[in-house]
Amino acid sequence: MKAGYFCLLLVVVVINYAWSCNPDGDNKPTCSSDNLNLPIRNFWDPTCYWLCTEVGAEPICKRCNTSGMFDPAQGKCIPYYEWEWTPPCPW
């Protein structure tokens, strides 16, 4: 049940993201209940990702470990030698 809820939430976030994507921005989110504790790609720095911990708070740029880069497809940091650049916006 929790996995289904998480997948549905992820789909909603991805659709919203596709409509509001700005490839020239850094993708810094506005923290809301929809994106709490959900890692979000930082377009300008692949060694960190945005993380909202409180509604209305400033998102935190969480750093991957020294040899890691954020992979938005997996939603986590991976070793730099496995990381591949992907376009920031799906269109």
Side-chain angles (χ1 to χ4, degrees), residues 35-59:
N35 61 8
L36 287 181
N37 299 312
L38 183 68
I40 299 171
R41 179 181 180 178
N42 183 328
F43 290 167
W44 292 350
D45 185 357
T47 65
C48 76
Y49 56 91
W50 298 111
L51 189 66
C52 290
T53 57
E54 263 183 69
V55 174
E58 275 294 302

Side-chain angles (χ1 to χ4, degrees), residues 17 21 23 41 43 72 84-91:
Y17 165 75
C21 184
R41 179 181 180 178
F43 290 167
E84 291 184 28
W85 182 85
T86 56
C89 297
W91 32 264

Side-chain angles (χ1 to χ4, degrees), residues 52-83:
C52 290
T53 57
E54 263 183 69
V55 174
E58 275 294 302
I60 301 166
C61 189
K62 298 283 281 186
R63 292 254 171 239
C64 296
N65 65 30
T66 55
S67 62
M69 298 178 85
F70 185 73
D71 180 12
Q74 296 182 44
K76 65 180 184 176
C77 294
I78 61 172
Y80 72 91
Y81 54 83
E82 293 178 9
W83 185 84

